[in-house]
Amino acid sequence: MLNRRQEQLIKLLTEKKEWMTSRELAGYFRVTDRTIRSDVDAVNRQGDHPLVESNVRKGYRALPVAGQEPKPAQNQGMPQTPGTRCIYIIQKLLLENRELNLTELQGQIYVSDSSIQNDLKRIRRMIEPYPGLRLVRSRECISLQGDEISKRRFYRELLVAEVQENFLNLNRLAHLYRHFDLIEVKDIFVKVLEEYDYSIHESLFSMLILHAGTSIERIRTCHYIQPEEEQQGLKDTIEYQISRTFFERISGRLHLEIQEGEISMFALVIMGRRASNYASDHIRLGDRWLNIRRLMEEALARLKEVFGVDFAGDEDLAAGLKIHLHGLVERVKNQVVLEDIFLEEIKQKYPLVFEMGVCIVSYLEEQLQTRIGDMESGFIALHLGAASERMNSVRKHRAVMIMPHNQVFSGMCEKRILELYRERMEIVRKCSYFEEEEIRLLDPDLVLTTFPIEHRLDIPTVSISLFVDPETEANILQALNRLDKKRFRLEFTSHMGHLIRKEHYYPDLNARTPKEVICCLCRGLEKEGIVDEHFQDIVLERERMTPTSFANALAIPHAFRAYASRSTIAVAQLQNPVQWGAFEVRLVMLFAINEGDQRMIKIFFDWVSDIVSRPEELAKLTERCSYEEFTERVME
């Protein structure tokens, strides 16, 4: 029977699908070359046929199982489940207001005709509560027909559901914990909080549950936190009592052995920013002491330097990262590697946040002088994503309300609108009449009015009902969505349009490996004097940390802290797909940034996140074409 490390060895080689030297494997698992050789021998003795091929010069690689075709990497950029396919189809019918050709649809989302028919049945059930809507089939096309009010209501409620799927959506992440029910864990925790009459800030709740889920996952495999010393006074706090009660119930429910270190650590997580009073700023690693607070502050400073994003004032992030770094250093000391629970989920859906996590891990590797597992990037990204969400919530659209002096109804109207859109909009002024110059000076993003007005200002104006009916809700929501798109489009057009140059566009590149593609693109940039001779090595080093493929079509190699003389995106359309990490890639966009253009990093990654979520547009973008056609597709 294989041990855990040997199982992970097979998984790693199978996913890599390429040669790895014994030195690389030994460094990954923090063992000796001899141990790797012994593990390979044990793996090959396990079955009827060898699973790993050995080569004196190249190292090791996984062999396909006899009689079994290699499974293609799942295209995470496409809707994979019936639920996501239904939403994809509905949104196209609602937003694009046209018929869908079912044959073309099969090609777009790579499913069979029977799957499409089942999806249509589900959609018909979804629209049953909307009597004015119906799906109509005409030969090979499908359309959504009905009155506009019903469509708007359906559209509004779909969007509300989508907005609720925020960064730390527990229902979406729960399925990634395979050995227990994360939602049940959440329910147990909520019950304990109610018994102690203890409130948790909404923005921190999901992080707490994910921390609890990860702790349970580690406890299941007998990996425990071993604090170096007892925190003075911690056991006298209510947070410690809550943590103890919670883990006692988890222990009884899941039949796990809980140790003191887990209770103390979770108590500190519950405390949030107050945990600094109990968690030491210092921790020992080998023969030296590390200042965790300074390490955390310098890591955030690195983020600001690389991405131009300043998290320095977020005390909740500082507290969470400090506790996480304590655990990370303990894992490094004990050579413990976190399991890959939701790394690809974060990487796929939130590429910028994931890159910030990778950046912090890169910095920590420099400071700790050791290799840190990829999963640490994912967990740090969770902290950064929650902080980004808090930061972005501050950037609300500014609205002016024009309504008559009716204290009862106008107050109710404002209250209802704020209840619906508080996270995205703030009311900066209420007026009983419209005066163009006054509104111009306020410079709002949006005007909401209960009576018709005409003006010459370039400000979106939405007519609303004092009673905030469904049509009002839909109109405001659409206006806010248009403002979001406008904000992004302005940034994208202003900054990204000139970065893709004809001399760095390769419409038919013949390459077999990611390294060949990267070297070709970097050579072109170096020849032009855009980057120096070290840039290529830095890009390859970043690639070795974790592949930069974000969907079964696209890879975006880049470099940390290696700047270009001018910001440029080098593009390669590949003759044949190249296996790039878990995905087969057909389009490569290498991003080289000038030191003064750090804002472009966020804009670029926002665009990547958007394009991989739109499979039809991504498929169009990866089709080989001329430089002019490609830039037109990017700017669409």
Side-chain angles (χ1 to χ4, degrees), residues 269-322:
V269 176
I270 295 172
M271 284 183 181
R273 64 185 68 177
R274 291 193 297 109
S276 298
N277 299 327
Y278 299 93
S280 172
D281 283 347
H282 296 84
I283 189 170
R284 190 181 184 90
L285 179 62
D287 59 355
R288 60 191 175 123
W289 285 91
L290 299 173
N291 187 316
I292 292 293
R293 176 173 291 279
R294 187 170 66 189
L295 203 62
M296 177 268 298
E297 291 173 349
E298 290 175 354
L300 293 180
R302 172 71 64 87
L303 276 189
K304 183 179 180 180
E305 176 186 350
V306 174
F307 294 94
V309 180
D310 189 2
F311 290 116
D314 192 325
E315 295 183 20
D316 292 318
L317 172 63
L321 272 185
K322 182 179 173 183

Side-chain angles (χ1 to χ4, degrees), residues 237-280:
T237 66
I238 188 174
E239 289 83 5
Y240 179 87
Q241 298 304 318
I242 290 171
S243 179
R244 173 172 287 282
T245 303
F246 169 70
F247 273 115
E248 284 174 352
R249 294 185 186 176
I250 290 295
S251 174
R253 178 66 184 83
L254 301 178
H255 310 292
L256 300 175
E257 180 184 347
I258 309 297
Q259 295 189 0
E260 182 62 33
E262 300 294 340
I263 297 172
S264 298
M265 180 60 74
F266 193 53
L268 294 175
V269 176
I270 295 172
M271 284 183 181
R273 64 185 68 177
R274 291 193 297 109
S276 298
N277 299 327
Y278 299 93
S280 172

Side-chain angles (χ1 to χ4, degrees), residues 77-142:
M78 302 295 177
Q80 296 293 327
T81 65
T84 56
R85 289 199 304 269
C86 288
I87 295 299
Y88 173 78
I89 294 170
I90 289 169
Q91 287 182 328
K92 291 184 76 65
L93 290 170
L94 280 173
L95 301 180
E96 299 181 15
N97 194 28
R98 64 178 177 84
E99 292 184 331
L100 284 179
N101 185 291
L102 297 180
T103 303
E104 292 178 0
L105 183 64
Q106 291 177 48
Q108 292 166 7
I109 59 179
Y110 306 113
V111 295
S112 65
D113 178 66
S114 61
S115 295
I116 293 290
Q117 297 307 319
N118 288 332
D119 291 339
L120 295 179
K121 291 178 183 176
R122 295 184 185 96
I123 292 172
R124 286 189 171 94
R125 287 196 294 269
M126 291 173 70
I127 63 175
E128 283 177 0
Y130 305 87
L133 298 181
R134 59 194 179 100
L135 276 180
V136 176
R137 175 142 184 194
S138 175
R139 295 184 181 179
E140 290 303 309
C141 294
I142 194 80

Side-chain angles (χ1 to χ4, degrees), residues 13-31:
L13 291 174
T14 302
E15 290 177 349
K16 284 284 187 180
K17 299 180 182 178
E18 59 187 15
W19 293 100
M20 292 188 71
T21 66
S22 59
R23 182 178 179 183
E24 289 174 329
L25 291 169
Y28 183 87
F29 291 105
R30 298 188 178 89
V31 296

Side-chain angles (χ1 to χ4, degrees), residues 396-402 417 421 424-429 434 439 442-449 453 455 458-464 472 475-483 486:
K396 299 176 183 178
H397 296 295
R398 303 170 69 255
V400 169
M401 295 186 71
I402 311 295
I417 288 175
Y421 309 110
R424 301 178 63 185
M425 179 180 70
E426 60 178 333
I427 308 297
V428 296
R429 180 74 62 85
F434 180 84
I439 302 300
L442 288 171
D443 192 25
D445 301 306
L446 185 65
V447 173
L448 307 177
T449 176
I453 57 174
H455 60 79
D458 187 20
I459 301 172
T461 302
V462 177
S463 295
I464 63 173
T472 293
N475 288 342
I476 296 175
L477 188 60
Q478 290 175 11
L480 292 174
N481 288 334
R482 286 193 294 269
L483 287 172
K486 179 181 178 182

